[in-house]
Amino acid sequence: MSGTAHPRRPGEGPTSRTRLDRGRGALGPALELVHTGRAPTRAVLTAELGVTRATAGAVAAELEALGLIRVDARPTAAAGSQGRPSHRLELAEDGPVALAAQVHADGFRAALVGLGGRMIATAPGCEAVDADPAKVLGSVVEAGAALLRETGRRCVGAGLAVPSAVAEPEGLALNPLHLAWPAGSPVREIFAEQVRAAGITGPAFAANDVNLAALAEHRHGAGRGARDLLCVATGHRGVGGALVLDGRLHTGSAGLALEVGHLTVNPAGRPCHCGSRGCLDVEADPLAFLTAAGRTPGPVVSLLQQANEAIRDEPADPGVRHAVETLVDRLGFGLAGLVNILNPDRIILGGLHRTLLRAAPDRLRAVVADRSLWGRSGVVPILPCTLDHNSLVGAAELAWQPVLDDPLTALATAA
């Protein structure tokens, strides 16, 4: 940890100073526990860190001094409880934020996200995405910079979610199939340049949107507590997947793991952009749903919104019912194959797939169970994602990670 000297606070003697120095290495783990909601009180923090009460108190006080959390030393005791309640640990409401950006086939969005995955402010962007990634990323960063000026919040860094596999370590968008961007666009470098040009301090990151959705859901949503979490989602176009193994996002050797959109679920189906036919990417996304429902996509709102509204507002319509059943079956075929290979302990579905699960939960679970060896022998929970903007929250998680790793150094760098 940083060796920077800190002014002594009132009431802090040599003993408490020593405790704090010993607990410096616990600052990051402690912040992550509060960030993910796993340490709501100082007593829980003490147990989770395996330190003394005094050390946990010193660590919490330091995080509060950094403006990251708030320690409530006089919490109200619950009715019927005995003994003195433990100090409550809450995230600072006026603390720093991360700039999160997302680009998809129907536009882009910028947001400011605080610790705990809290959305502080959002700014929707244009509905048409230019073929020049620098122009698009410049616009989304400009929208984020405007939010920072309006709110006056300190920024720790920036994260970008894109609908493409992002190759590591270069940060190249290898297959932005539903954008007109050139394959292999250096999106991380371009995004970082735009962030610096806007005068925003802190590091900049970029990753696949579904990977980031899974990361956000694992820390703050429907995937919390899962050890091996499979996330499959369709947003505006195409289908993506992500896997969290033992609490960590699995991206493979070069960031390209789990391209689930190119599993074949209908051998006689429509041609896919990858050169194959009947892939999940073109058989279970919003355009596939509207086509199966006999609907002509309109130009006013996104394909995702049109598909969701049809399921919500017209569930008895024969065309909508047929489309729901068709896409649920195709999605179930794909999930069953993934269950056989990955053996996850939980599956979460996002975007249109979340809506399909809610429309026909028994049918989807039956298809997965009937076609999966592990689905038959044991129940794999299939749940809807719970975060409305999980890719944005996940993009912010990228920017928050250096702070979670080492709060003192990261905040000093971003100052």
Side-chain angles (χ1 to χ4, degrees):
M1 305 293 282
S2 171
T4 304
H6 290 262
R8 182 174 296 176
R9 287 181 286 275
E12 183 184 74
T15 301
S16 61
R17 180 78 266 160
T18 301
R19 289 169 183 156
L20 177 56
D21 289 340
R22 289 175 179 172
R24 281 273 165 79
L27 284 177
L31 181 59
E32 183 169 348
L33 286 167
V34 181
H35 171 62
T36 56
R38 289 178 289 155
T41 67
R42 197 173 71 179
V44 175
L45 182 68
T46 301
E48 289 288 336
L49 292 178
V51 298
T52 65
R53 248 176 62 178
T55 297
V59 167
E62 179 72 359
L63 292 175
E64 185 173 36
L66 290 171
L68 298 171
I69 72 170
R70 187 176 74 85
V71 180
D72 184 358
R74 297 184 178 181
T76 302
S81 63
Q82 296 181 348
R84 181 181 177 183
S86 178
H87 293 25
R88 291 204 61 79
L89 306 179
E90 301 170 349
L91 296 168
E93 293 184 0
D94 58 350
V97 296
L99 168 60
Q102 182 179 11
V103 178
H104 51 71
D106 293 308
F108 61 75
R109 181 180 291 270
L112 303 183
V113 183
L115 282 167
R118 298 168 301 152
M119 299 290 289
I120 305 300
T122 61
C126 67
E127 295 181 357
V129 177
D130 194 89
D132 181 0
K135 184 175 180 180
V136 179
L137 297 181
S139 296
V140 73
V141 169
E142 182 180 340
L147 291 176
L148 288 170
R149 290 192 296 270
E150 292 168 8
T151 60
R153 303 292 277 264
R154 179 183 182 185
C155 184
V156 300
L160 170 68
V162 292
S164 168
V166 177
E168 299 291 350
E170 300 88 353
L172 309 179
L174 292 188
N175 59 340
L177 298 177
H178 304 291
L179 303 176
W181 294 359
S185 295
V187 290
R188 181 182 301 149
E189 179 181 344
I190 296 171
F191 182 61
E193 289 173 352
Q194 298 293 346
V195 167
R196 287 193 296 269
I200 299 172
T201 57
F205 306 88
N208 171 261
D209 52 3
V210 180
N211 277 351
L212 296 180
L215 179 62
E217 292 285 345
H218 185 262
R219 289 184 175 179
H220 308 293
R224 184 180 291 173
R227 179 181 175 185
D228 298 325
L229 175 69
L230 172 64
C231 175
V232 176
T234 177
H236 297 262
R237 291 290 302 276
V239 175
L243 184 65
V244 176
L245 292 178
D246 201 18
R248 292 182 175 274
L249 190 65
H250 175 70
T251 57
S253 61
L256 309 178
L258 232 71
E259 279 292 314
V260 306
H262 300 290
L263 289 173
T264 299
V265 295
N266 182 15
R270 57 178 59 88
C272 181
H273 313 277
C274 71
S276 186
R277 180 178 290 275
C279 294
L280 203 59
D281 206 57
V282 293
E283 297 287 341
D285 76 342
L287 181 58
F289 176 87
L290 294 171
T291 301
R295 304 294 180 91
T296 301
V300 178
V301 298
S302 72
L303 298 175
L304 175 61
Q305 185 175 339
Q306 292 176 61
N308 281 333
E309 287 178 351
I311 297 171
R312 183 192 66 206
D313 299 337
E314 306 171 72
D317 179 273
V320 171
R321 288 204 313 270
H322 167 72
V324 168
E325 293 172 358
T326 299
L327 264 72
V328 162
D329 289 349
R330 293 172 183 169
L331 175 60
F333 295 163
L335 292 179
L338 292 168
V339 167
N340 286 335
I341 296 169
L342 302 173
N343 187 28
D345 58 20
R346 193 180 310 174
I347 299 171
I348 57 173
L349 303 179
L352 178 61
H353 294 164
R354 175 173 69 170
T355 308
L356 292 170
L357 172 62
R358 288 171 172 165
D362 293 339
R363 186 183 185 100
L364 178 59
R365 292 183 176 115
V367 172
V368 175
D370 289 345
R371 292 181 170 268
S372 165
L373 176 63
W374 309 129
R376 288 195 298 272
S377 62
V379 177
V380 180
I382 304 177
L383 306 173
C385 290
T386 57
L387 304 177
D388 287 334
H389 300 289
N390 48 23
S391 291
L392 277 172
V393 174
E397 289 295 315
L398 293 179
W400 275 115
Q401 192 58 52
V403 181
L404 298 176
D405 291 338
D406 186 347
L408 286 171
T409 300
L411 292 179
T413 303

